[in-house]
Amino acid sequence: MTWEASLFALLDDLEQQAEGLFRTERELEIAERGQAEYAGVTLVSRLMASVGDEVALEVTGAGRIGGALQRVCAEWCLLSGAGGEWIVRLAAVDQAHGCSDRSVPEAAWSPLTRLSLGSALRRLAQDGQCCRLHLRDGTVHDARPLRVGADFVEVAPGTRPDTRLDTRLDTRLDTRPRTLVAFTAIAAVQQRD
């Protein structure tokens, strides 16, 4: 082998080593970027990608709630399953099972996802629906939402509305005892028929 051929062989070997080091460095950079990007993925964004799927949520104070994920908002989600429909406050969710591997970035969320927990509870109050409140401390109350404030819901005890009162009338006419429940105390709301 001539000195010229030896030099080219050495240069080829160095070039291959440089390409290998570049590939290794590039793979590490891609892995680091992937980890950094994933650090911005939220539970809500993973749940958004799971709408329509069967999921199970472990909820503080309510236990395991499973069903088809119907809607996800920034503060709550709606599950429909064998136990009826559930409004689950996302701050009470400890674990989620059966979620999509994907996520939906916040920029792609519908404006309806901005609906607060108060919006969902106002709908129950307007319809005069009875529900079961599952609180974070594990207590359960059968109640009917009457009015919804900025950070609480006013409920009357019981499982069905008083037929003597039209739910559209001013609730001050209702003399039954009422309870104010802070949103932060609510884990889940089970809609009742």
Side-chain angles (χ1 to χ4, degrees), residues 7-17:
L7 181 62
F8 283 126
L10 175 66
L11 291 175
D12 284 342
D13 185 47
L14 289 173
E15 188 175 329
Q16 288 176 357
Q17 287 179 20

Side-chain angles (χ1 to χ4, degrees), residues 49 55 57 74 94 106 117 121 172:
V55 299
L57 303 176
D94 295 325
E106 190 171 345
L117 178 62
L121 294 174
R172 288 177 290 176

Side-chain angles (χ1 to χ4, degrees), residues 142-146 154-159 174 176-179:
D142 286 325
R144 184 171 59 91
L146 298 172
E154 181 177 338
V155 297
T159 56
D174 189 349
R176 291 178 292 176
R178 297 187 184 145
T179 304

Side-chain angles (χ1 to χ4, degrees), residues 68-123:
L69 189 57
Q70 300 295 317
R71 174 183 298 259
V72 177
C73 291
E75 296 178 6
W76 58 278
C77 67
L78 178 65
L79 285 173
S80 179
E85 288 190 332
W86 291 80
I87 298 169
V88 178
R89 199 168 146 264
L90 293 178
V93 173
D94 295 325
Q95 297 178 36
H97 307 280
C99 292
S100 170
D101 290 337
R102 299 177 29 247
S103 71
V104 176
E106 190 171 345
W109 295 358
S110 160
L112 294 177
T113 61
R114 306 291 180 245
L115 292 175
S116 67
L117 178 62
S119 298
L121 294 174
R122 277 184 198 88
R123 179 61 185 240

Side-chain angles (χ1 to χ4, degrees), residues 19-36:
E19 283 178 20
L21 287 172
F22 176 76
R23 249 184 273 130
T24 302
E25 186 176 307
R26 177 83 173 133
E27 288 170 2
L28 288 173
E29 182 181 338
I30 289 171
E32 286 175 5
R33 281 187 184 180
Q35 288 177 353

Side-chain angles (χ1 to χ4, degrees), residues 140-183:
V140 178
H141 302 279
D142 286 325
R144 184 171 59 91
L146 298 172
R147 297 186 294 185
V148 180
D151 60 352
F152 71 96
V153 60
E154 181 177 338
V155 297
T159 56
R160 63 173 64 148
D162 188 339
T163 55
R164 293 174 294 135
L165 294 172
D166 184 341
T167 57
R168 292 169 294 187
L169 293 177
D170 188 342
T171 55
R172 288 177 290 176
L173 299 174
D174 189 349
T175 58
R176 291 178 292 176
R178 297 187 184 145
T179 304
L180 305 180
V181 181
F183 288 168

